[in-house]
Amino acid sequence: MPLANDPTTAIRDLTTAIEAELIAVRRDIHAHPELAFEEVRTAGVVARELEKLGIPHRTGIAKTGVVGLIVGGRPGPVLAIRADMDALPIHEQTGLPWASRIDGLMHACGHDLHTTTLLGVAAVLNKLAPQMAGTIKLVFQPAEEAIGGMRIMLEEGLLENPKVDLALGFHNGPDIPAGRFGFTHGPVLAAADKFEVVVHGVSGHAAHPHTSIDPIVGAAHIITQLQTVVSREVNPMHPVVVTVGAIHGGEAVNIIPDTVVFRGTVRSLHAPARDIAEAAIRRLCEGALATLRVRCEVDYTRGVPALVNDDRVLLPAVAAVRSQLGEVIDEAGPVMGAEDLALLFERVPGFQLRIGSGAPGRADKLHNSGYAPDEACIGLGVQALSRAALELLS
Ligand code: NI
């Protein structure tokens, strides 16, 4: 097939030619989901497909990651495009012929779509490489759900040889119909921190509270006070979530226990709000010694930072999607989920494209056992990302 001269037609024709094959690859990956850092078979499929395309690649990065390289015919910047590969501990209930064959595991976040989409981008850009400027680094990342894969890939030198200048990421979204796309200026996903608080009291008989220090009453007051972190301490224009998701303490109705433990998560989009929330949680917990006589040990752990899109990458990429597919991309607000693509975007300017995957007449959700995306999102994602890559490198 001769390549069309204009990029719109060339990318569309190249994608159409491989679309059925990509869907077959996706169904194969979907039927064989693997958890974080166990993506051995999936990485094998990726390596096999890159091999078929003649794209040089390295395996075993961050245990099960794969990185491929497409070098253009002219010099230019290096663009990393990242897909995640891991599945979730969910038992699939779609009943589809290509449903998970592994009990209790499912690609319910659509990382099978991501892996396949990046393989499609690899195939298209590999064909266009002679006319392309710069270099594409194809990043197949393990362990996004466990939020650990990107950190290790970076530690193992993902950004070097060749040095990465900018990055593209993407995620499917069943809340957007297949055929449409979304973008968000600035922060798009939250920083995700966690905390554990051990509230120490003094145990004793429930009938003699004056001889004890009650950690249950102490924990109850502290948890209620933690609601003032969002309502009274951070800038209302900076969204923050403080959720206590677990609390454990006590065994019997007639005993005041020695300790209560509670755990929670803090989500934030802006660095100042993140600092204020952490300081306030520590202060409220530690202050309970003066007010309620309970001593708190606070273990606060910072997780991934907020995922922040950079307009230097976003604006040309959004324009490229419009050039390729028309008026199919809309601005959307941020959400308080988190993902470790943020670690990559912390180091190089990047943009995460949202790819609509909603099938007609369905109301699917991510991380749901019935998730059945519209597979048209694969070919459309390939076209959008391939065009965005070409524009960013030109
Ligand atoms: Ni995901």
Side-chain angles (χ1 to χ4, degrees), residues 82 84 86 88 108-111 114 144-145 170-172 338-339 352 366-367:
R82 178 273 213 167
D84 39 17
D86 55 329
L88 285 162
C109 200
H111 297 184
H114 300 169
E144 185 281 318
E145 297 292 355
F170 55 103
H171 207 290
N172 72 106
E339 86 135 296
Q352 188 195 41
L366 295 176
H367 292 214

Side-chain angles (χ1 to χ4, degrees), residues 58 61-62 67 137 150-164:
R58 286 174 53 211
I61 299 179
V67 175
K137 202 174 253 193
M150 180 53 75
R151 183 180 301 279
I152 302 178
M153 289 192 108
L154 290 168
E155 284 166 6
E156 293 186 7
L158 178 67
L159 296 183
E160 307 306 320
N161 298 320
K163 191 171 172 334
V164 173

Side-chain angles (χ1 to χ4, degrees), residues 71-158:
V71 181
R74 288 176 287 133
V78 178
L79 169 69
I81 312 178
R82 178 273 213 167
D84 39 17
M85 302 190 291
D86 55 329
L88 285 162
I90 292 176
H91 189 77
E92 179 159 354
Q93 316 241 9
T94 63
L96 290 166
W98 53 87
S100 171
R101 292 184 199 161
I102 320 268
D103 257 4
L105 296 189
M106 178 187 178
H107 270 293
C109 200
H111 297 184
D112 52 335
L113 302 170
H114 300 169
T115 304
T116 311
T117 300
L118 188 54
L119 285 170
V121 170
V124 168
L125 293 180
N126 197 42
K127 278 273 193 337
L128 298 174
Q131 299 98 288
M132 186 180 83
T135 298
I136 302 284
K137 202 174 253 193
L138 304 157
V139 180
F140 295 90
Q141 183 205 308
E144 185 281 318
E145 297 292 355
I147 304 255
M150 180 53 75
R151 183 180 301 279
I152 302 178
M153 289 192 108
L154 290 168
E155 284 166 6
E156 293 186 7
L158 178 67

Side-chain angles (χ1 to χ4, degrees), residues 57-344:
H57 56 277
R58 286 174 53 211
T59 57
I61 299 179
K63 291 185 188 159
T64 44
V66 183
V67 175
L69 218 53
I70 303 174
V71 181
R74 288 176 287 133
V78 178
L79 169 69
I81 312 178
R82 178 273 213 167
D84 39 17
M85 302 190 291
D86 55 329
L88 285 162
I90 292 176
H91 189 77
E92 179 159 354
Q93 316 241 9
T94 63
L96 290 166
W98 53 87
S100 171
R101 292 184 199 161
I102 320 268
D103 257 4
L105 296 189
M106 178 187 178
H107 270 293
C109 200
H111 297 184
D112 52 335
L113 302 170
H114 300 169
T115 304
T116 311
T117 300
L118 188 54
L119 285 170
V121 170
V124 168
L125 293 180
N126 197 42
K127 278 273 193 337
L128 298 174
Q131 299 98 288
M132 186 180 83
T135 298
I136 302 284
K137 202 174 253 193
L138 304 157
V139 180
F140 295 90
Q141 183 205 308
E144 185 281 318
E145 297 292 355
I147 304 255
M150 180 53 75
R151 183 180 301 279
I152 302 178
M153 289 192 108
L154 290 168
E155 284 166 6
E156 293 186 7
L158 178 67
L159 296 183
E160 307 306 320
N161 298 320
K163 191 171 172 334
V164 173
D165 298 299
L166 65 171
L168 275 178
F170 55 103
H171 207 290
N172 72 106
D175 53 326
I176 305 174
R180 298 206 68 88
F181 299 80
F183 70 92
T184 306
H185 289 286
V188 55
L189 290 171
D193 302 339
K194 60 183 179 180
F195 59 88
E196 180 178 282
V197 180
V198 184
V199 184
H200 293 278
V202 174
S203 59
H205 199 293
H208 313 299
H210 57 294
T211 65
S212 305
I213 296 175
D214 188 345
I216 289 186
V217 172
H221 275 276
I222 293 164
I223 291 166
T224 305
Q225 284 185 328
L226 291 185
Q227 306 312 307
T228 64
V229 173
V230 172
S231 69
R232 302 290 85 180
E233 304 225 18
V234 300
N235 181 337
M237 305 313 286
H238 290 174
V240 173
V241 172
V242 177
T243 293
V244 174
I247 177 165
H248 300 283
E251 297 287 341
V253 292
N254 59 348
I255 303 169
I256 291 168
D258 273 312
T259 58
V260 171
V261 180
F262 64 87
R263 285 190 286 274
T265 183
V266 178
R267 305 296 175 104
S268 58
L269 293 178
H270 302 84
R274 190 185 198 188
D275 294 340
I276 289 168
E278 178 180 351
I281 288 167
R282 290 184 183 280
R283 194 186 70 246
L284 290 168
C285 292
E286 285 158 9
L289 183 61
T291 53
L292 300 161
R293 295 178 295 152
V294 290
R295 183 176 61 80
C296 289
E297 278 175 81
V298 182
D299 183 8
Y300 191 103
T301 310
R302 290 206 168 199
V304 292
L307 180 69
V308 183
N309 285 327
D310 191 314
D311 272 352
R312 289 172 293 174
V313 183
L314 179 149
L315 292 172
V318 169
V321 173
R322 290 195 170 120
S323 304
Q324 183 66 32
L325 296 164
E327 284 301 320
V328 293
I329 183 161
D330 306 299
E331 187 170 357
V335 289
M336 300 306 273
E339 86 135 296
D340 65 2
L341 182 64
L343 296 169
L344 179 58

